[in-house]
Amino acid sequence: MLRNVMTALTAAGLALASVGAEARSGQYLYVFSGDQAGKGNDFLAVIDADPESPGYGKLLAGVATDQISIRPHHTEYEMPASGMLFANDHNANRSFIFDLRDPLHPKVATTFRDMGGYAMPHSFLRLPNGHVLASFQQRRGMDHDMAGMHDMVGMSGKELTGGLVEIDDGGKVFRAVSNADPAHPDWPLLPYSLIPLPKIDRVLVTNSPMQDEHLLQSVTYQLFRLSDLKLLGTYKLDPGPSLSGHVDPEEARIGPDGAVYIQTLSCGLQRVTGMETDRPKAVMIHQFPGSYCGVPTIAGHYLVQSVESIGGYVVLDIADGARPVEVSRLVIAPDYASHWTAWDPSSGRLVVTSGKAGDRMYVLKLDMKTGRLTIDEGFRDADGKPGLSMAGRQWPHGWTGDGKPHGAVFSR
């Protein structure tokens, strides 16, 4: 009995001591979530992610936005040095900048809808100057009919283009540019994600809709000059032996060899080289099982891919980028809708979330010698099971219900 009391007091003391302190790398997890039922609001939860903490895996804090949940979606893929994290509810055309400099007292610093004449942002990537470069799927409509803009039914030509916008942590626009390409006026060019390549003065952008309309026609990537955001060209990906491995290109990541690796929703993996030239080349180098793959992570010479058809994750060794080798798989459960991954390099862990409301969120360990991926058994919820349940719980900001998480990042 005395031991239990002392443990509780120690845990409380540790929590109090950390209030107002700067988060060290991997100490906290920030998870952007919402209410699948569309009654509650989007919110950010703060979770104890310190393996040495007695509260490892427990909810610590949270903050709600004023947006009723429609489709809480992406955060940044890693925590920025500034402590200001971008997140969006895509279908609401609503984005938030969270102030996480005091991790146990998170705040919504500001919010925005359209930026620089563009709407429906998807991904936020940091530039060397600390600003965010964001991909916006749509031009701002004359009547601002967001339902129509989201469905894209009957749209064609320039209506199927968006843009890139540079934004600072205060929500100020610094520059904005269209991704419309006069050389290809009839191609659907809907910016999905991007990767800045400052060493070669380039930005690579993937084009893919957030809806089924125009999905099969979305097979391109674009290159811009980073210094002035001039469009340099629009290029098709490699269909590969299946003739479908190029459909719906989504996330782009820089490999250890300097090439860009692009995951497609159709579970192809494309490797792009020659981006500093006027003749870049994309080659499909791997086909994952199934036809619905989500957010990848590159850690060292390993690429971790979420693969919904297996209910888990596949790890490739990309030390030889042209010839990747599968080294491990981890199946969470046959029906687990594996989707998001984000990396904590200081501890060799990934946070992963599912696309279904109420599913568990997990922390995984990646063995950097072998590429073996395992569930972190120490990261447990109050029910004693690994992972954190999103089902029917009371959240720190006062709402009770099934959370539908999407973006999640470790503290820096």
Side-chain angles (χ1 to χ4, degrees), residues 312-357:
Y313 305 86
V314 174
V315 182
L316 300 182
D317 186 336
I318 57 171
D320 181 349
R323 287 172 285 274
V325 177
E326 181 178 325
V327 292
S328 72
R329 291 188 182 194
L330 173 65
V331 175
I332 302 292
D335 61 346
Y336 189 74
S338 49
H339 185 72
W340 179 273
T341 66
W343 175 242
D344 176 31
S346 68
S347 63
R349 296 175 298 167
L350 295 105
V351 56
V352 300
T353 67
S354 157
K356 293 181 181 178

Side-chain angles (χ1 to χ4, degrees), residues 71-410:
R71 192 178 190 178
H73 202 55
H74 274 223
T75 63
E76 297 179 62
Y77 302 104
E78 60 183 53
M79 190 65 202
S82 66
M84 308 294 282
L85 183 72
F86 282 61
N88 79 72
D89 187 316
H90 184 79
N91 288 23
N93 188 36
R94 189 85 184 279
S95 298
F96 308 93
I97 303 176
F98 291 98
D99 183 347
L100 301 175
R101 290 173 293 183
D102 184 347
L104 298 185
H105 296 89
K107 303 173 184 176
V108 178
T110 191
T111 179
F112 60 88
R113 294 184 183 273
D114 301 347
M115 279 283 187
Y118 300 97
M120 311 297 282
H122 185 273
S123 294
F124 308 105
L125 277 296
R126 291 282 167 168
L127 298 172
N129 64 4
H131 293 172
V132 156
L133 190 62
S135 55
F136 283 69
Q137 289 240 306
Q138 296 281 326
R139 297 184 307 147
R140 187 184 189 278
M142 291 297 291
D143 59 358
H144 209 187
D145 177 6
M146 295 315 302
M149 290 174 71
H150 170 252
D151 293 337
M152 297 189 300
V153 176
M155 288 185 173
S156 62
K158 284 189 176 181
E159 292 178 315
L160 291 172
T161 62
L164 306 179
V165 183
E166 181 179 342
I167 313 164
D168 73 4
D169 281 337
K172 178 183 175 182
V173 174
F174 278 77
R175 51 181 176 164
V177 63
S178 170
N179 79 318
D181 189 341
H184 305 288
D186 299 322
W187 289 5
L189 302 175
L190 300 159
Y192 185 93
S193 194
L194 65 148
I195 191 76
L197 303 162
K199 291 182 179 179
I200 59 172
D201 193 26
R202 295 289 185 270
V203 177
L204 185 147
V205 177
T206 60
N207 292 310
S208 197
M210 280 288 289
Q211 306 77 23
D212 291 340
E213 190 79 9
H214 306 291
L215 186 72
L216 297 179
Q217 294 79 39
S218 296
V219 295
T220 65
Y221 68 99
Q222 296 178 291
L223 286 171
F224 293 76
R225 196 160 52 210
L226 177 59
S227 53
D228 60 2
L229 292 185
K230 179 183 178 180
L231 175 64
L232 301 176
T234 303
Y235 311 93
K236 287 190 175 181
L237 293 163
D238 177 13
S242 69
L243 302 182
S244 63
H246 61 331
V247 174
D248 207 17
E250 294 187 335
E251 303 294 343
R253 299 289 184 267
I254 302 174
D257 55 357
V260 169
Y261 294 77
I262 299 174
Q263 153 269 333
T264 68
L265 184 68
S266 53
C267 291
L269 181 63
Q270 305 271 335
R271 180 173 179 261
V272 184
T273 56
M275 295 163 290
E276 70 281 7
T277 74
D278 59 0
R279 304 187 77 175
K281 184 179 181 180
V283 177
M284 200 185 93
I285 57 171
H286 192 80
Q287 181 76 53
F288 296 100
S291 59
Y292 197 92
C293 287
V295 178
T297 284
I298 290 181
H301 59 90
Y302 295 112
L303 184 145
V304 182
Q305 178 63 57
S306 53
V307 181
E308 186 170 319
S309 66
I310 69 168
Y313 305 86
V314 174
V315 182
L316 300 182
D317 186 336
I318 57 171
D320 181 349
R323 287 172 285 274
V325 177
E326 181 178 325
V327 292
S328 72
R329 291 188 182 194
L330 173 65
V331 175
I332 302 292
D335 61 346
Y336 189 74
S338 49
H339 185 72
W340 179 273
T341 66
W343 175 242
D344 176 31
S346 68
S347 63
R349 296 175 298 167
L350 295 105
V351 56
V352 300
T353 67
S354 157
K356 293 181 181 178
D359 266 359
R360 299 183 83 86
M361 184 196 78
Y362 292 92
V363 169
L364 310 181
K365 293 181 177 180
L366 179 64
D367 187 321
M368 296 303 292
K369 293 182 179 179
T370 66
R372 182 169 179 257
L373 197 62
T374 56
I375 294 175
D376 184 345
E377 297 286 340
F379 185 85
R380 292 175 179 262
D381 204 345
D383 60 8
K385 299 177 182 179
L388 186 137
S389 173
M390 294 284 163
R393 69 184 310 147
Q394 184 172 357
W395 297 91
H397 63 282
W399 175 73
T400 300
D402 291 352
K404 185 181 182 181
H406 201 103
V409 294
F410 287 94

